[in-house]
Amino acid sequence: MMSPPSETFSTSDLIKLFRSDQQQAMAEKDAYANLCVVSTVDSNNQPRSRTLVLRSMGEDLAIFINKSSPKWSEMKGGIALQTYWASTQVQYRMSVSSIEIDKKTISESWQLRPDIPKKMDWIYKNTHQQSSEVQDLDQLRAEIDKIKNVDDLTATDQATGLILKPEVIERLNLSTEDGIHDRRLYLKEEQHWIEKQLVP
């Protein structure tokens, strides 16, 4: 017997599904609703993961980062992204490609950041690169206190961001009534996506 034809989706359909799930987590006041775990592979071929704020750029997903971070060069080798919202028991895993966000958008978005992240970007540029070693937290606090007139600061040339373009999406719903987890894989084929049901 032949399998029934797979339903197809557009990228917009799947981003809407993701955002619908995310909004439900927000409604449940899930502390991780706006966060994601980004994984890369370092120069020693070791996996590295970190938690970042997941942002919206029009119809796209995006992250803001600093080029002084080791993750900047690692991301050129590919990015895996994961979200999990315990409040709704929904998980997403994605393999994504990326496009650097234009400088004008970065500059405008940067001005909306809180004061400490703005100061940190200038510390990354002039004093200590991200992930570098300092004596202790008091040393870092002292460097931050030296920066005055935050309103006069602008985005550094190292401040950037990436628009994330999903290539593979997997959605796992653990909250099914019968306890059989609903795991679906979405594979991109040219201009559309194919859905496959997976054994959880």
Side-chain angles (χ1 to χ4, degrees):
M1 180 181 296
M2 293 182 63
S3 299
S6 299
E7 185 176 357
T8 60
F9 301 83
S10 68
T11 301
S12 179
D13 291 333
L14 295 180
I15 295 299
K16 286 177 181 176
L17 175 62
F18 176 87
R19 287 187 171 151
S20 176
D21 286 331
Q22 185 183 41
Q23 287 166 5
Q24 186 175 351
M26 290 177 182
E28 297 291 337
K29 302 189 184 306
D30 195 306
Y32 295 92
N34 287 321
L35 301 178
C36 65
V37 175
V38 171
S39 298
T40 56
V41 176
D42 68 14
S43 58
N44 295 316
N45 207 34
Q46 295 299 306
R48 294 170 60 90
S49 298
R50 69 282 287 167
T51 302
L52 299 176
V53 176
L54 183 61
R55 304 180 185 275
S56 295
M57 297 288 293
E59 295 187 351
D60 293 308
L61 305 175
I63 52 176
F64 288 171
I65 59 176
N66 190 281
K67 289 183 179 180
S68 74
S69 169
K71 62 180 171 283
W72 172 246
S73 59
E74 293 170 11
M75 285 178 173
K76 296 174 184 176
I79 303 171
L81 179 149
Q82 179 175 321
T83 61
Y84 177 67
W85 304 308
S87 60
T88 58
Q89 299 185 69
V90 173
Q91 173 183 275
Y92 278 86
R93 295 195 302 171
M94 303 184 195
S95 297
V96 302
S97 58
S98 60
I99 302 170
E100 190 169 358
I101 299 172
D102 66 273
K103 284 295 183 184
K104 181 176 183 293
T105 301
I106 291 295
S107 295
E108 291 172 353
S109 298
W110 194 88
Q111 293 299 336
L112 302 176
R113 303 182 76 188
D115 287 354
I116 294 298
K118 287 180 179 179
K119 290 183 177 184
M120 287 302 304
D121 267 0
W122 279 90
I123 286 174
Y124 299 151
K125 179 178 175 64
N126 297 319
T127 312
H128 302 286
Q129 289 190 347
Q130 193 170 14
S131 301
S132 62
E133 183 177 351
V134 292
Q135 181 177 339
D136 52 32
L137 198 56
D138 286 339
Q139 180 188 358
L140 187 56
R141 289 189 177 109
E143 296 288 349
I144 290 172
D145 288 343
K146 290 177 184 178
I147 302 176
K148 309 298 183 183
N149 303 320
V150 178
D151 291 341
D152 295 333
L153 296 179
T154 57
T156 71
D157 56 359
Q158 293 178 327
T160 191
L162 295 172
I163 293 174
L164 306 178
K165 297 291 187 181
E167 304 291 339
V168 178
I169 299 174
E170 183 183 301
R171 181 182 185 270
L172 176 65
N173 180 6
L174 304 178
S175 65
T176 52
E177 292 183 3
D178 59 6
I180 301 174
H181 301 158
D182 185 359
R183 183 181 176 194
R184 303 189 189 201
L185 178 67
Y186 299 90
L187 298 175
K188 193 173 185 181
E189 295 189 357
E190 297 181 355
Q191 300 304 312
H192 63 272
W193 294 74
I194 300 293
E195 179 187 73
K196 296 179 181 292
Q197 187 80 52
L198 300 184
V199 177

